[in-house]
Amino acid sequence: MSKIKFFSVAFLTASAMMQAQDLEQAKKAIDAEQYDKAKSILKSIIKTKPADGKAAFLLGNVYLKQNVGDSAKITFDKGLTAAEGGKFNNIGLGQLDLDSGNATAAKAKFDLAMQGMRKKEVEEYVYIAQAYINADKPDYQAALAILEKAKLANPNDPFVKLSIGDAYFGMKNQNEAYSAYRDAYATDNSIIRAKMQLGVLLKGAKAFVEAVKAYDEVIAINPNYGPVYRELAETYYLWANNKPQTYKENIAKALSNYEKYMSMTDYSLSSRMRHADFLILARDYKALEAEAQEMKKLDKVNPRILRYLGYAAYENGNTDESINALTEYLAKGTKIIGGDYYFLGLAKIKKSIGADGKTVDPVLFADGMTNLKKGVEMDANLANGLNEIGKAYFAQKLYGVAAGIFEAAIMNTTSKNFFEDNIYYGLCVHTVNRGKDAKTADMVALANADKAMDNVIAAKPEYAEAYLYKARLNSVMSKDDIMTEQYQKYVDLVSAKGPEEVTKNKAKVTEAYNNMASFYANTDKAKAKELLNKTLALDPTNAYATESLKVLK
């Protein structure tokens, strides 16, 4: 009898050890972002031992990382009733509370998770801190407060140091983050992510060469650690955009490294979605469309796939497909972003242009502009991409369409193209309204364009053309006093550069003289004659000046 009991205990001990090993393998898979593998291991543990609450908690966390909140909650709720480690699931449920904006409920659940902790234990603290860090709206100070308790309990725990690094990283405190990550790796050099994060900090500082070297050191230690290739991809992407002369080379490296990351992690729907997000950044819309089609095979009903199809369809010239996909996504999707309205707006604007390339459907165009502006309002960074689009319409002489694009672009005053976009907006509005009278001209657009010229002048007061454009706009608005004032400023700036500059801009200078003369003709004939004679000195055959002088005599 005692012998049978001995073998039973031995069997149970071996079984427990195997499950513990499996749990560690699952943790390693999560760290390596091999989420499908981690889920498979954890589901196997739970099936074998339903009482393992820690496995349920980790599985729920994987669902959170994959943005599958419903599955996470179901898993945490079941795990909460487990006999062993069930309390950890309070932490997962607490993060869901944080995501829904209920910090009080989250804290109550975190307090439950910390009940009965032994003096040297820190695991619960680390997971609670990570919940604060990973929440939709992170609370880094709350995470650090929890981690201070962990430090008191066990000052040398490497995972405490790693989480401190994550909190400071989120707070953009480079120095403290670097110190924490360095200490975590020095304490336990098996925590490869800590070393990788040193490269991530360099990436954030735009020290791209040094960041790549740091990642290469990680690869030398463990060439199979997938996340380092994602970081390489993102570093090369940023490098390409910060150094345009390197764009082609570095964007190719970015895409190549992301493919390597995918091959070392998994091709689950969530991983493919993350890849799709990166393809949008890299502007590889052919690859995005192919990825979206692969996602449809995995989950035909997931609305987020419609986003990727909509973006790719617009960029690949399929405006109807883009409009249909994005309209459906906006009706079904749960997490709407600025890009969804942005691409829908651009697709509608493109569709509004007739087959002749000249006529524009005003209703569809206005609808597209509403969507486009809403997109930029939600995500101001989208304005950076409108410069190229607006200039393309300008080159096609679709000045009204281009004006709309540039109007949306200048909504972001910190856009990298803000100066040029204002100039183009003013040019387009003037071109559309040139020759019209006060009854037919778009006075609102003209007034906005006038303000745009003020933006240009404020940024670069020596830019003479801005005063010329402002004068022209005010001429259409029949604000002749302002028109004259601006033409004079234009002439003064050109004249200050010498006779050669005046001769070079003869047509514009004589335009200024003639328009100013027209303003003075009824109030100061001598001034008017003086200006007209200046025109004739530059252009002796100028018909307007010749005829006007005859009238003034």
Side-chain angles (χ1 to χ4, degrees):
M1 187 79 174
S2 61
K3 207 169 190 180
I4 293 171
K5 185 176 181 181
F6 171 78
F7 282 122
S8 298
V9 171
F11 174 77
L12 290 170
T13 303
S15 178
M17 287 177 65
M18 286 175 65
Q19 285 179 343
Q21 288 173 353
D22 286 344
L23 211 60
E24 286 305 309
Q25 287 301 312
K27 287 180 182 179
K28 287 180 180 178
I30 293 169
D31 179 63
E33 299 177 17
Q34 296 170 332
Y35 298 129
D36 272 4
K37 179 180 177 181
K39 284 194 293 187
S40 178
I41 295 170
L42 292 165
K43 286 177 181 179
S44 177
I45 294 172
I46 294 168
K47 185 177 180 180
T48 305
K49 187 181 179 184
D52 194 327
K54 178 75 73 65
F57 167 65
L58 293 174
L59 179 59
N61 263 349
V62 174
Y63 284 126
L64 282 180
K65 289 179 183 294
Q66 294 185 315
N67 295 309
V68 190
D70 291 344
S71 295
K73 187 176 189 313
I74 291 168
T75 306
F76 291 139
D77 282 336
K78 286 183 179 177
L80 201 61
T81 63
E84 298 175 20
K87 68 174 185 175
F88 278 90
N89 291 276
N90 283 301
I91 301 172
L93 291 168
Q95 184 175 332
L96 288 170
D97 284 333
L98 290 175
D99 290 343
S100 63
N102 194 340
T104 302
K107 185 179 183 304
K109 290 182 175 66
F110 295 154
D111 288 343
L112 287 172
M114 289 186 287
Q115 283 181 4
M117 286 180 67
R118 294 176 184 174
K119 190 174 181 181
K120 294 288 185 179
E121 287 180 338
V122 297
E123 193 174 14
E124 290 90 335
Y125 292 140
V126 170
Y127 282 125
I128 292 168
Q130 287 295 330
Y132 278 118
I133 291 167
N134 294 327
D136 287 345
K137 292 183 179 179
D139 188 340
Y140 301 115
Q141 291 291 356
L144 285 172
I146 290 290
L147 291 167
E148 281 301 316
K149 293 181 180 180
K151 276 176 69 177
L152 288 172
N154 188 349
N156 291 317
D157 187 280
F159 291 102
V160 172
K161 294 177 180 181
L162 180 67
S163 294
I164 290 171
D166 291 339
Y168 280 120
F169 177 76
M171 295 169 71
K172 296 181 171 57
N173 187 328
Q174 298 278 90
N175 292 335
E176 293 292 345
Y178 185 91
S179 177
Y181 287 137
R182 181 193 59 200
D183 289 351
Y185 185 71
T187 304
D188 183 351
N189 63 12
S190 71
I191 305 177
I192 197 82
R193 190 170 76 83
K195 186 168 180 61
M196 183 185 75
Q197 287 299 114
L198 299 176
V200 174
L201 289 168
L202 290 166
K203 176 188 73 174
K206 297 183 180 180
F208 303 121
V209 174
E210 292 79 5
V212 169
K213 287 180 181 177
Y215 299 139
D216 285 342
E217 290 178 7
V218 173
I219 292 168
I221 297 166
N222 185 355
N224 297 316
Y225 188 64
V228 73
Y229 297 101
R230 174 177 48 77
E231 292 297 345
L232 266 170
E234 293 176 5
T235 300
Y236 279 121
Y237 163 75
L238 290 172
W239 195 347
N241 282 277
N242 278 268
K243 301 286 184 182
Q245 66 272 24
T246 73
Y247 187 86
K248 188 175 180 180
E249 176 189 357
N250 281 330
I251 211 70
K253 289 180 180 178
L255 292 167
S256 173
N257 276 287
Y258 210 103
E259 289 295 337
K260 194 163 188 177
Y261 162 71
M262 292 287 288
S263 71
M264 289 188 169
T265 52
D266 58 47
Y267 286 91
S268 64
L269 183 64
S270 59
S271 293
R272 286 185 179 278
M273 284 183 172
R274 188 166 183 172
H275 184 212
D277 290 333
F278 186 77
L279 290 172
I280 292 168
L281 291 176
R283 293 180 283 182
D284 190 342
Y285 293 100
K286 292 291 184 186
L288 176 64
E289 189 164 14
E291 188 67 282
Q293 294 299 338
E294 289 299 319
M295 284 190 271
K296 278 181 73 175
K297 294 176 185 176
L298 293 172
D299 188 348
K300 292 181 180 179
V301 299
N302 193 306
R304 190 166 155 191
I305 297 169
L306 293 165
R307 167 187 290 161
Y308 303 125
L309 287 171
Y311 290 15
Y314 167 75
E315 292 290 350
N316 295 332
N318 302 317
T319 52
D320 286 336
E321 186 179 337
S322 177
I323 291 168
N324 291 337
L326 290 170
T327 300
E328 188 178 352
Y329 177 69
L330 289 171
K332 295 179 177 178
T334 54
K335 290 188 177 181
I336 307 301
I337 61 174
D340 304 330
Y341 287 103
Y342 174 87
F343 278 99
L344 178 60
L346 289 176
K348 287 180 178 178
I349 289 167
K350 193 171 185 179
K351 185 176 172 61
S352 74
I353 301 166
D356 60 2
K358 296 178 182 178
T359 57
V360 177
D361 179 337
V363 175
L364 188 54
F365 175 72
D367 191 25
M369 281 304 305
T370 298
N371 291 137
L372 180 61
K373 288 181 177 179
K374 187 168 185 177
V376 175
E377 283 173 1
M378 291 176 69
D379 183 356
N381 288 325
L382 292 169
N384 291 319
L386 292 174
N387 179 269
E388 187 178 332
I389 296 168
K391 286 196 285 190
Y393 283 125
F394 185 88
Q396 295 171 33
K397 298 185 178 180
L398 289 164
Y399 300 113
V401 176
I405 299 295
F406 288 117
E407 183 183 7
I410 62 176
M411 289 169 61
N412 178 9
T413 59
T414 61
S415 166
K416 65 180 181 180
N417 303 307
F418 186 67
F419 180 81
E420 187 177 48
D421 289 343
N422 276 279
I423 294 172
Y424 269 104
Y425 177 58
L427 271 171
C428 290
V429 171
H430 175 256
T431 304
V432 170
N433 290 278
R434 185 172 52 201
K436 295 181 180 180
D437 57 29
K439 291 182 180 179
T440 57
D442 186 340
M443 301 302 283
V444 173
L446 287 163
N448 288 336
D450 186 52
K451 291 176 183 176
M453 289 304 105
D454 289 337
N455 292 333
V456 174
I457 291 166
K460 196 174 180 181
E462 71 279 10
Y463 183 63
E465 300 290 301
Y467 301 98
L468 178 70
Y469 303 148
K470 187 173 172 69
R472 289 172 176 174
L473 289 163
N474 280 279
S475 176
V476 180
M477 290 189 287
S478 299
K479 295 182 179 181
D480 294 340
D481 53 338
I482 299 175
M483 172 201 74
T484 302
E485 177 186 297
Q486 299 305 312
Y487 270 131
Q488 187 60 59
K489 288 179 179 178
Y490 169 73
V491 170
D492 290 344
L493 282 169
V494 173
S495 299
K497 295 180 180 179
E500 287 185 6
E501 190 70 15
V502 173
T503 303
K504 180 180 171 183
N505 292 280
K506 180 176 71 173
K508 294 173 183 176
V509 174
T510 56
E511 172 194 329
Y513 286 147
N514 287 345
N515 278 282
M516 288 192 289
S518 175
F519 173 73
Y520 286 116
N522 295 321
T523 58
D524 190 340
K525 288 187 178 182
K527 180 70 172 177
K529 288 179 183 179
E530 177 191 341
L531 291 163
L532 292 168
N533 282 317
K534 286 184 177 182
T535 291
L536 292 173
L538 280 172
D539 180 9
T541 62
N542 189 282
Y544 178 85
T546 302
E547 293 302 316
S548 295
L549 278 171
K550 288 178 183 178
V551 173
L552 287 173
K553 288 179 180 177

